[in-house]
Amino acid sequence: MNSVLFVVSAADHWTLNDGSLHPTGYWAEELAEPHRLFTEAGWRITIATPGGIAPTIDAGSLAPQAAGGEDRAAAIVAYLDTIGSELDEPRSISDITVADYDVVFYPGGHAPMEDLAVDADSGRIMTEALDSGTILGVLCHAPAAMLAAQRADGSWPFTGYRMTGFTDEEETLGGLAPKAPWLVQSRLVALGADFVAGAAWAEHMEIDRNLYTGQNPASSAALAGAIITAVTAQK
């Protein structure tokens, strides 16, 4: 049976540049839709967070305008309810062995910018996955977690990798860019990423070797589907 590790932020806020706390968490569709697709493919799923803390859902991600309508929001909530026990009792990322999994997957939301961006355990998981050839799927704001990745020689593992993620344009259109202490796209580019931005809010993903990245919530299903196809082809 194929196995996938979901590394999910445990943060329930994002500290803005004026010191105020913006309520956040994981983005509902970005966890629910890939989880559903991996489950339907018959995969074993493990959810892990920093400290094994139950993750918080970003309430904004369930607003009809954000989720794609009232029916879509209700369907996402209904699915998350079916995996409530998994979300309530995640493993701690400090206890994770990457070699136990076929895929490592990071859903987004602003929360990873608060904790995973500076979490050494998450950085280790990302680095080990990338360097071992394990498929690493990273979605929307979750590429923020790449900032904590570092090889033993101090180099950044993702230098030169083609990738995407939530763009500076999308952060600006969403209204939070002026309040953000930093922006995902800009930070990744500064570190040496080959960042490819698609049209705002449109489905877009990039695949470079074993790194699979999606730009935004609209890319959730496509990214999970591409990973499933790739793993199936390897077997």
Side-chain angles (χ1 to χ4, degrees):
M1 179 184 292
N2 294 317
S3 60
V4 55
L5 171 70
F6 274 60
V7 179
V8 184
S9 170
D12 61 4
H13 66 272
W14 176 32
T15 305
L16 302 180
N17 56 19
D18 63 359
S20 63
L21 304 184
H22 175 72
T24 188
Y26 68 85
W27 198 262
E29 181 178 13
E30 296 174 22
L31 191 152
E33 189 66 5
H35 192 290
R36 181 184 66 81
L37 292 170
F38 291 135
T39 298
E40 290 179 354
W43 290 21
R44 176 174 56 84
I45 299 173
T46 299
I47 295 174
T49 67
I53 297 169
T56 299
I57 190 168
D58 188 321
S61 67
L62 295 177
Q65 63 270 27
E70 291 184 4
D71 290 346
R72 177 64 177 152
I76 292 172
V77 170
Y79 184 80
L80 291 173
D81 284 345
T82 70
I83 61 170
S85 60
E86 295 178 50
L87 292 167
D88 288 342
E89 298 181 359
R91 291 188 59 186
S92 172
I93 58 174
S94 64
D95 299 330
I96 291 298
T97 300
V98 171
D100 292 340
Y101 302 93
D102 298 295
V103 171
V104 175
F105 189 86
Y106 280 69
H110 284 101
M113 299 178 74
E114 184 71 22
D115 60 354
L116 297 182
V118 294
D119 190 289
D121 288 314
S122 175
R124 170 187 62 81
I125 289 170
M126 282 202 149
T127 303
E128 289 181 5
L130 193 73
D131 289 350
S132 67
T134 301
I135 288 181
L136 176 60
V138 194
L139 183 58
C140 199
H141 285 88
M146 295 179 186
L147 302 181
Q150 182 175 298
R151 292 200 177 102
D153 63 2
S155 63
W156 191 52
F158 296 95
T159 298
Y161 271 80
R162 190 177 70 256
M163 65 180 70
T164 192
F166 203 70
T167 64
D168 292 358
E169 178 188 11
E170 287 170 320
E171 203 73 85
T172 300
L173 291 171
L176 283 172
K179 304 176 183 179
W182 49 272
L183 300 175
V184 173
Q185 178 181 351
S186 293
R187 285 291 298 274
L188 294 175
V189 169
L191 283 172
D194 178 10
F195 192 99
V196 181
W201 316 123
E203 176 188 310
H204 175 67
M205 65 179 177
E206 294 291 334
I207 302 171
D208 187 351
R209 290 157 277 184
N210 59 316
L211 178 63
Y212 288 61
T213 51
Q215 180 170 317
N216 47 35
S219 310
S220 301
L223 184 63
I227 291 171
I228 291 167
T229 297
V231 172
T232 301
Q234 292 174 355
K235 299 299 182 179

